[in-house]
C-alpha cells in the first residue's frame, strides 16, 4: 500500500514537472517570436526578420525557360526569407492583367512582372507604384521606363541575336536559304528582329524563304508542325538553315527535322533549358548553336534588385544580363549528360553572377539557411 502511495506521489511530481516543462517551453517559444531579431548591417526594412511578400507574374509560359526563370526568382527570394508566389498566364493577355489586378488586392510588398508587352501593362504597373509598391520588370514594354522607380531588366537581346546569327552567316559561308522563326509583339522579339533585319541587309546572300511564329501554351508543337510542312515544301538543297529567336521555336523545329531525316538543315537558336540541352546532345540533332542567358539567374537577379528597392537602396532604371554562345560541339564533347546545373563546367561564367548581391543579403541567406 505504501509502495502504491509512493508511486502515485512520484507520478504526480513527474506530471507536475512535465507540465512545468511544457509550459516553460511554450513561453520560451512565444518570447522568441516576440523578440526582435537583429541582423548586423541589414537594412532596417528587414531587421525584424519579417521578410517580404512577393508576387512574380509572367505573361508567357508553357516552356522550360519560364519554369527556370520562376524557380530562380522563388529560390532567391525564399533564401532571403521572403514569401514568393508565382503565376504564369501561358500567353493569355486577359489572365495576365487579371493576375496583376488581383495581386494588388492581395497586398504584396513587391512585384516582378515578366513579358508585359502592351499599354495595359504600363497602366497596371502604374497602379502598383501608386499604391506604394516596388516593381521590377523583365522583357517588358519600354514605355514602363516612364514610371519612376521601376527597373526594366532584359537579356542583352541584341547580343543574343548577333551571336547566333553571326554563326549562321559564318557556317553557311554567307549563302543560304533560311526559315525565320519569330513572333511580333514582345519587346525582346522586337529587339532581336532589328538585329536580324540589319544582318540580312548586310548579307544579301542570306535569303529568307519562309517564316513562322506563334506564342502559346503549345508553341513547340505548333512550330514542329509548321516546320514539317516547310520541309515538305523545300526539299533537300532548298532550305539550308533555321534561325529560331526563341527556344520553344528551336525545339519544335529540331523535332520536325529529326522526324523528316533532314539533318542538313541546321538550327541557330536563342535561349536554353534542360529540354533544349537534351535535344542538342542527341547525335541526330541539327541544333548547332544557341545564344542564351541562364533563365534561373535572370529570376534571381530580378529578385535581388527588388530586394534592394524594398530596402530603400538605389537601383538602376535598366539592366541587361550578359549573353553567352553555346555550341553543339561543346555539349556533345562532354563525358556526362549536360544540364542547366553543370553547364557552367562547359561555358565560362554560366549561371554565376554577384550582380546586386549585397553583403546584407548574404547575412539574410545565412540566417534563413535550412
Amino acid at each position: 500500500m505504501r509502495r502504491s502511495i509512493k508511486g502515485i506521489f512520484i507520478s504526480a511530481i513527474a506530471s507536475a514537472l512535465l507540465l512545468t516543462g511544457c509550459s516553460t517551453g511554450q513561453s520560451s517559444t512565444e518570447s522568441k517570436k516576440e523578440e526582435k531579431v537583429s541582423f548586423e548591417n541589414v537594412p532596417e526594412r528587414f531587421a525584424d526578420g519579417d521578410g517580404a511578400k512577393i508576387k512574380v507574374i509572367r505573361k508567357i509560359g508553357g516552356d522550360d525557360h519560364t519554369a527556370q526563370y520562376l524557380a530562380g526568382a522563388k529560390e532567391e527570394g525564399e533564401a532571403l526569407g521572403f514569401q514568393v508566389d508565382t503565376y504564369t498566364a501561358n500567353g493569355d493577355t486577359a489572365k495576365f492583367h487579371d493576375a496583376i489586378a488581383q495581386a494588388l488586392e492581395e497586398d504584396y510588398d513587391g512585384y516582378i512582372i515578366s513579358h508585359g508587352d502592351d499599354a495595359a501593362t504600363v497602366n497596371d504597373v502604374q497602379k502598383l507604384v501608386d499604391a506604394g509598391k516596388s516593381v521590377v520588370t523583365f522583357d517588358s514594354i519600354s514605355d514602363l521606363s516612364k514610371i519612376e522607380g521601376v527597373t526594366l531588366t532584359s537579356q542583352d537581346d541584341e547580343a543574343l541575336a548577333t551571336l547566333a546569327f553571326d554563326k549562321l552567316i559564318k557556317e553557311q559561308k554567307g549563302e543560304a536559304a533560311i526559315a525565320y522563326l519569330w513572333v511580333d509583339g514582345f519587346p525582346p522579339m522586337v529587339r532581336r528582329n532589328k538585329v536580324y533585319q540589319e544582318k540580312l541587309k548586310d548579307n544579301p546572300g542570306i535569303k529568307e524563304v519562309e517564316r513562322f511564329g506563334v506564342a502559346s501554351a503549345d508553341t513547340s508543337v505548333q512550330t514542329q508542325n509548321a516546320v514539317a510542312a516547310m520541309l515538305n515544301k523545300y526539299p533537300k538543297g532548298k532550305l539550308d538553315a533555321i534561325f529560331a529567336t526563341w527556344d520553344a521555336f528551336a525545339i519544335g523545329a529540331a523535332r520536325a527535322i529529326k522526324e523528316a531525316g533532314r539533318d542538313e538543315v541546321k538550327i541557330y537558336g536563342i535561349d536554353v533549358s534542360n529540354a533544349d540541352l537534351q535535344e542538342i546532345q542527341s547525335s541526330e540533332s541539327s541544333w548547332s548553336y544557341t545564344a542564351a542567358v541562364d533563365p534561373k539567374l535572370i529570376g534571381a537577379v530580378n529578385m535581388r534588385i527588388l530586394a534592394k528597392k524594398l530596402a530603400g537602396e538605389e537601383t538602376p532604371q535598366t539592366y541587361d544580363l550578359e549573353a553567352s554562345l553555346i555550341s553543339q560541339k561543346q555539349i556533345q564533347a562532354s563525358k556526362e549528360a549536360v544540364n542547366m546545373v553543370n553547364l557552367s563546367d562547359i561555358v565560362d561564367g554560366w549561371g554565376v553572377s554577384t550582380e546586386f548581391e549585397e553583403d546584407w543579403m548574404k547575412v539574410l541567406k545565412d540566417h534563413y539557411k535550412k
Side-chain angles (χ1 to χ4, degrees):
M1 184 70 174
R2 285 180 181 178
R3 288 180 182 177
S4 178
I5 293 172
K6 184 178 180 181
I8 293 171
F9 180 69
I10 292 172
S11 297
I13 292 174
S15 298
L17 289 172
L18 181 61
L19 289 172
T20 302
C22 289
S23 177
T24 302
Q26 186 175 4
S27 298
S28 175
T29 303
E30 288 176 354
S31 64
K32 283 182 180 179
K33 287 182 179 179
E34 292 173 0
E35 182 182 348
K36 185 174 181 179
V37 180
S38 176
F39 300 115
E40 187 177 359
N41 299 322
V42 171
E44 185 179 353
R45 170 65 176 78
F46 303 118
D48 60 0
D50 285 343
K53 186 179 174 185
I54 310 298
K55 185 77 172 191
V56 185
I57 303 173
R58 183 164 164 123
K59 183 173 182 179
I60 65 171
D63 61 307
D64 198 26
H65 190 278
T66 294
Q68 291 281 327
Y69 171 82
L70 296 177
K74 188 174 181 66
E75 287 181 18
E76 188 73 5
E78 291 181 344
L80 294 170
F82 299 170
Q83 173 189 326
V84 182
D85 298 323
T86 64
Y87 175 82
T88 174
N90 288 323
D92 189 310
T93 299
K95 288 182 178 179
F96 173 69
H97 294 300
D98 285 347
I100 298 175
Q102 183 177 344
L104 178 56
E105 293 298 320
E106 293 170 348
D107 198 33
Y108 286 87
D109 299 300
Y111 302 81
I112 296 176
I113 307 298
S114 175
H115 289 82
D117 59 350
D118 54 13
T121 301
V122 180
N123 293 332
D124 289 343
V125 172
Q126 184 66 65
K127 290 177 182 177
L128 295 177
V129 172
D130 289 344
K133 308 302 180 181
S134 297
V135 181
V136 173
T137 69
F138 173 62
D139 271 358
S140 296
I141 187 169
S142 61
D143 285 350
L144 288 165
S145 62
K146 298 174 183 177
I147 304 176
E148 187 175 354
V150 174
T151 294
L152 285 70
T153 69
S154 66
Q155 302 176 88
D156 189 337
D157 291 294
E158 290 80 7
L160 289 169
T162 298
L163 286 169
F165 203 69
D166 278 355
K167 276 297 181 182
L168 184 155
I169 294 168
K170 183 177 180 179
E171 289 201 333
Q172 300 297 325
K173 298 179 172 57
E175 300 285 338
I178 70 170
Y180 182 41
L181 304 182
W182 172 79
V183 62
D184 199 0
F186 296 94
M189 291 294 177
V190 173
R191 292 190 290 268
R192 295 170 192 182
N193 183 61
K194 183 178 179 181
V195 172
Y196 171 72
Q197 297 299 337
E198 290 173 354
K199 294 289 182 181
L200 283 186
K201 184 178 179 180
D202 294 340
N203 297 272
I206 306 295
K207 305 289 186 182
E208 179 189 312
V209 297
E210 285 283 344
R211 69 166 57 191
F212 172 79
V214 61
S216 66
D218 63 345
T219 292
S220 295
V221 174
Q222 291 195 48
T223 303
Q224 183 175 348
N225 294 335
V227 172
M230 288 181 200
L231 295 173
N232 288 329
K233 184 177 179 180
Y234 298 95
K236 200 167 185 176
K238 299 297 182 180
L239 183 65
D240 302 301
I242 291 175
F243 181 45
T245 56
W246 180 19
D247 64 332
F249 292 148
I251 200 164
R255 291 167 180 166
I257 289 170
K258 187 184 295 184
E259 286 186 3
R262 292 284 300 277
D263 60 359
E264 84 282 359
V265 180
K266 301 302 180 184
I267 298 171
Y268 303 82
I270 294 177
D271 294 333
V272 72
S273 68
N274 282 317
D276 302 339
L277 290 169
Q278 184 176 359
E279 173 59 40
I280 293 170
Q281 285 174 90
S282 170
S283 59
E284 300 173 353
S285 178
S286 60
W287 195 339
S288 298
Y289 286 90
T290 195
V293 178
D294 182 1
K296 195 169 185 180
L297 181 62
I298 299 170
V301 170
N302 279 193
M303 186 61 69
R304 292 174 196 166
I305 295 173
L306 185 59
K308 283 175 66 66
K309 287 183 182 295
L310 291 169
E313 296 184 351
E314 185 177 350
T315 55
Q317 184 183 51
T318 62
Y319 180 73
D320 292 338
L321 290 102
E322 187 177 352
S324 299
L325 184 66
I326 304 166
S327 74
Q328 185 180 54
K329 288 181 180 179
Q330 284 177 298
I331 302 301
Q332 292 184 346
S334 175
K335 295 180 181 179
E336 60 181 353
V338 180
N339 54 45
M340 295 295 285
V341 175
N342 62 17
L343 186 58
S344 58
D345 296 336
I346 297 170
V347 180
D348 290 340
W350 180 262
V352 179
S353 174
T354 57
E355 287 294 302
F356 307 107
E357 187 176 33
E358 307 298 339
D359 287 341
W360 60 264
M361 294 183 187
K362 296 175 184 178
V363 172
L364 288 179
K365 288 179 180 181
D366 285 341
H367 178 77
Y368 290 109
K369 189 182 295 181
K370 295 180 180 179

